[in-house]
Amino acid sequence: MLKLRGRAPRPGVAISGLALAACGGGTTDPPPPPPPPPLATGCGGAATPSVSVTLDLAPGQHATLDNPGDVRAFRLAGGDSPRDYQVIVQSASEAPGQRVDGCIRVRAERASGNVTPPRAPRLAPASGDLSRDLRRRASWFARERILRERDLQELAAVGAQPVRPGTRGLDPLKLADALQPPGLGDTLSFRVGVGADLVVNCRNPTMVTGEVRYAGEHFTIVEDLQFHDQPDSDRFSPDEFEAIGRQLDDVVYPMDVAYFGEPADIDDNGTVFALITAEVNKLTPAGEASVVAGFFLARDLTARSSCEASNEGEIFYLVGPDPDEDFGADISLSFANALARSTVAHEFAHLLNTQQRVTLGGGNIFGDREVAWLDEGMAHLAEEIAGLRAAGLGTRANLDLDMITTSEEQLAIYNHYHVVNQIRLGRFLRGGCPTPDPNGPAATRVLGDAAGEDPGGVESLAFRGFGYGFARWLGDQFGASGSGGALPGGREEELFRYLASGGPAHFKGITNVERALQAVAGVEMEWDELLSLYLTSLIADDRAPAAADPRTQWRTWNLPALYRQLSESNLGDSCPFTRDFPLTPSRVNVHVSTSSSTEFTVNSSTGRYFSLVSSGATPGLVVEVMDPAGANLPGRARAQVTVLRTR
């Protein structure tokens, strides 16, 4: 753990000082020089086509080209002083699991045809690992994906039907008065239908009896009686149960409800259960690198008449302390304490999103659930907003590590709620750990596998990093401003409440994002433009000149300062914190003889980054983007290129 210490107009149109000169265009800019002679080496030996568009950007300005001819070849104007550019080659495809191979060629207008390789990204060696507990927390979510998929498969196999408000079936918890919230010391019974190897089953559930150890306004924490045979020193004390419960009641509940909607309370008892059970511990054999931290199962929102393992209520299952490995892998008290807070924040968001669409929204428990990348992005955002609330901080404060860890208490909050999200985002930016992929963020299947599901394995961490980062950037840019929100800094929760439900039609994924912006923010933007702005923000935040489009800036976090400080901290020997910033574009040194080509791969809805850096007068540059054989990138890629001038 950490220790204390504008999108461009079409050619021929001028806007905000940005001119795009085109053949026959109506600008007053001088016409571009004649196209350079064909170059028949590199990138499949293709000759340079006619160049019809020139970008003459001021520092801080950016432009996005999406016309296939402009993407294939465009010109960057030169000047007497140094000009540096970030070039992001993107696939705006909305098809999950799709990848495109390409090649970029950058050539000074007077350069010879000899192709020189670009300078490889400057990498720092990874000489260590994160703490064991931090690795286990980060990697659990890859197994969560498997559990949730199997749960839905089982529900489909038995034809499970969701419980609607006021229509629950059997008494869910065997209480003397099932309609009243339980009291401290009450004994309750629950059904657990998950076994070894994450096998899920609606039939023959394991019955678990537990004691209520915290009975709060919104949450009830129940401890499995199986833990009562352990020494008191290995179990949460009454004070620790109280502290965890207060955090869930005062921090997690109000934040998740503000952002994702009220729970349906299908069991009519006015509480949400957190069951700390040895049955979760048993899912992680001793020695496993990835611990099962806890989960929410959609089955508990279905009728027990169709799925016997349903508890017909709002419930989470959490791992308990087990330092002596009585039930599975060793789980220290401090580790279990941290997991209880962040895991409930995450899983409660999943529960609320499901209930807005299915229980309260009348949707289908299979077909109307949110797609994986956006569902997980919002659940990881739930961890962040709980952490901000716990620390007394707000959004849009441009936070860095020094600002959010000013005391031991704030440091503990940071470790509980934030650091793992910043690992995930860093792994997306880096393109892999410990060895980065040269394609950087473009290496990640950010929309999921071919079926749109979490790709699983190590890649799942980067996939989740993309989703979390997009959700945070979206709230920063399009959430309502003003006071009176759930957090100081704005009222972005209105946007996320719409996303949680998907609106009356239960929109999902990219369509959900576009419709939410229309309905809540009054913004008409399509995915390709949103994507270009988000991807640009990852390299431009707090580094682009003052004239930069504010939509290319994060407002809650100062990304360069945050990751630099993490690199300088005691986590600095651990991927992705082994360099000042995880995203390192391929570098092309610009001079009068520059002639460079690089092959690349880009997955759907992400981009490959290139830095064009000059040290003196900058020649005009011709930039070409093509497939490895020299033809246009395929139409299915929906290719676009964003150019940001940084100097």
Side-chain angles (χ1 to χ4, degrees):
M1 293 294 184
L2 183 66
K3 298 177 182 177
L4 192 56
R5 39 124 235 102
R7 186 173 178 83
R10 289 292 181 183
V13 179
I15 185 170
S16 301
L18 169 61
L20 295 177
C23 295
T27 72
T28 58
D29 290 356
L39 181 64
T41 57
C43 291
T48 302
S50 175
V51 179
S52 61
V53 62
T54 294
L55 299 181
D56 192 1
L57 305 173
Q61 287 185 318
H62 77 278
T64 297
L65 304 173
D66 57 8
N67 180 281
D70 297 340
V71 170
R72 176 63 180 82
F74 59 93
R75 180 177 180 270
L76 298 178
D80 294 335
S81 59
R83 293 189 174 202
D84 295 346
Y85 298 96
Q86 298 290 343
V87 177
I88 312 171
V89 181
Q90 305 155 52
S91 167
S93 170
E94 300 176 18
Q98 179 179 280
R99 55 178 283 171
V100 174
D101 295 325
C103 185
I104 186 172
R105 185 161 61 194
V106 180
R107 184 167 63 86
E109 289 178 314
R110 294 181 295 280
S112 70
N114 296 326
V115 176
T116 58
R119 179 183 298 180
R122 185 165 52 87
L123 307 179
S127 58
D129 294 314
L130 291 174
S131 71
R132 178 168 172 263
D133 284 353
L134 203 52
R135 292 199 311 273
R136 297 163 92 192
R137 284 180 61 193
S139 60
W140 145 238
F141 291 100
R143 300 181 71 188
E144 179 205 31
R145 169 196 67 92
I146 297 172
L147 183 58
R148 294 182 68 202
E149 285 184 0
R150 290 178 178 175
D151 185 42
L152 287 169
Q153 290 168 1
E154 176 70 1
L155 293 179
V158 301
Q161 297 298 312
V163 177
R164 307 295 185 190
T167 63
R168 66 182 180 85
L170 301 178
D171 179 342
L173 299 173
K174 297 183 181 297
L175 294 172
D177 185 356
L179 302 184
Q180 296 298 319
L184 200 65
D186 284 350
T187 300
L188 310 177
S189 295
F190 297 87
R191 298 162 183 255
V192 181
V194 181
D197 299 321
L198 301 184
V199 173
V200 296
N201 199 319
C202 270
R203 290 142 291 192
N204 303 316
T206 299
M207 298 303 299
V208 170
T209 301
E211 178 187 353
V212 174
R213 302 300 306 275
Y214 173 83
E217 181 180 2
H218 304 296
F219 276 98
T220 298
I221 302 177
V222 181
E223 183 188 35
D224 188 340
L225 295 183
Q226 294 181 77
F227 288 120
H228 287 202
D229 291 333
Q230 294 182 307
D232 288 345
S233 59
D234 290 350
R235 298 168 55 201
F236 289 136
S237 68
D239 287 346
E240 286 169 320
F241 274 115
E242 178 71 17
I244 294 170
R246 295 312 316 168
Q247 189 100 142
L248 299 186
D249 262 345
D250 298 342
V251 173
V252 171
Y253 187 92
M255 294 311 303
D256 272 17
V257 167
Y259 274 67
F260 309 115
E262 297 276 350
D265 194 21
I266 59 175
D267 46 10
D268 297 314
N269 59 11
T271 195
V272 177
F273 287 98
L275 173 62
I276 298 175
T277 172
E279 298 306 313
V280 175
N281 294 68
K282 294 173 185 177
L283 300 179
T284 307
E288 282 279 335
S290 173
V291 64
V292 176
F295 45 85
F296 146 73
L297 295 176
R299 69 181 51 198
D300 288 316
L301 306 183
T302 66
R304 193 175 301 162
S305 58
S306 58
C307 178
E308 185 184 346
S310 173
N311 285 293
E312 291 188 325
E314 290 81 6
I315 180 174
F316 306 98
Y317 307 85
L318 300 174
V319 70
D322 186 18
D324 297 328
E325 299 184 335
D326 291 327
F327 303 106
D330 67 289
I331 305 291
S332 69
L333 274 166
S334 61
F335 187 31
N337 195 321
L339 289 175
R341 303 160 195 255
S342 60
T343 302
V344 171
H346 180 101
E347 298 298 334
F348 194 27
H350 282 314
L351 184 153
L352 293 173
N353 291 351
T354 302
Q355 289 204 317
Q356 303 314 305
R357 291 170 173 271
V358 178
T359 313
L360 297 170
N364 184 290
I365 199 166
F366 312 112
D368 287 326
R369 67 188 182 102
E370 182 56 272
V371 298
W373 74 266
L374 185 53
D375 193 30
E376 295 298 347
M378 288 192 288
H380 289 302
L381 183 75
E383 301 166 29
E384 178 197 273
I385 59 176
L388 293 175
R389 168 85 171 220
L393 299 169
T395 61
R396 306 186 183 190
N398 212 34
L399 298 167
D400 61 21
L401 191 62
D402 288 344
M403 296 166 66
I404 203 169
T405 56
T406 58
S407 67
E408 292 292 343
E409 181 183 6
Q410 282 201 332
L411 176 65
I413 292 168
Y414 176 80
N415 284 331
H416 289 162
Y417 292 105
H418 296 297
V419 66
V420 181
N421 275 334
Q422 288 155 9
I423 290 172
R424 298 181 189 107
L425 179 61
R427 291 181 74 118
F428 165 61
L429 297 174
R430 185 176 169 93
C433 284
T435 304
D437 190 297
N439 291 298
T444 303
R445 292 178 291 175
V446 300
L447 300 184
D449 58 21
E453 298 294 343
D454 186 327
V458 173
E459 187 183 2
S460 176
L461 302 178
F463 159 87
R464 291 163 180 270
F466 168 87
Y468 155 71
F470 182 81
R472 168 39 55 215
W473 172 83
L474 197 71
D476 280 352
Q477 294 301 329
F478 301 104
S481 59
S483 60
L487 288 170
R491 292 181 286 108
E492 65 181 20
E493 61 269 20
E494 297 171 16
L495 177 63
F496 290 103
R497 283 182 78 119
Y498 188 100
L499 288 170
S501 69
H506 304 310
F507 293 116
K508 297 183 287 187
I510 290 169
T511 301
N512 190 16
V513 171
E514 294 172 342
R515 296 299 181 92
L517 292 184
Q518 293 172 7
V520 180
V523 173
E524 298 279 345
M525 292 182 73
E526 295 185 355
W527 179 247
D528 55 353
E529 187 172 3
L530 286 167
L531 179 69
S532 70
L533 289 169
Y534 172 51
L535 294 179
T536 302
S537 77
L538 299 174
I539 197 68
D541 179 54
D542 281 288
R543 293 193 288 190
D549 186 333
R551 297 174 300 175
T552 65
Q553 302 297 299
W554 287 44
R555 303 176 70 182
T556 296
W557 297 100
N558 181 329
L559 291 181
L562 174 68
Y563 280 100
R564 184 184 68 253
Q565 292 160 350
L566 284 164
S567 178
E568 294 168 351
S569 76
N570 61 296
L571 298 181
D573 63 351
S574 307
C575 184
F577 305 131
T578 52
R579 50 189 177 190
D580 281 355
F581 196 67
L583 174 55
T584 303
S586 294
R587 177 174 172 137
V588 177
N589 290 323
V590 173
H591 43 73
V592 294
S593 59
T594 293
S595 182
S596 172
S597 65
T598 306
E599 292 190 359
F600 62 85
T601 295
V602 60
N603 279 288
S604 296
S605 289
T606 188
R608 178 69 149 88
Y609 291 73
F610 300 88
S611 289
L612 280 52
V613 180
S614 61
S615 57
T618 306
L621 299 170
V622 174
V623 181
E624 301 174 68
V625 179
M626 64 201 88
D627 72 10
N632 286 5
L633 291 177
R636 63 183 173 84
R638 294 182 57 189
Q640 58 185 26
V641 176
T642 297
V643 180
L644 167 70
R645 183 176 170 187
T646 54
R647 182 173 62 155

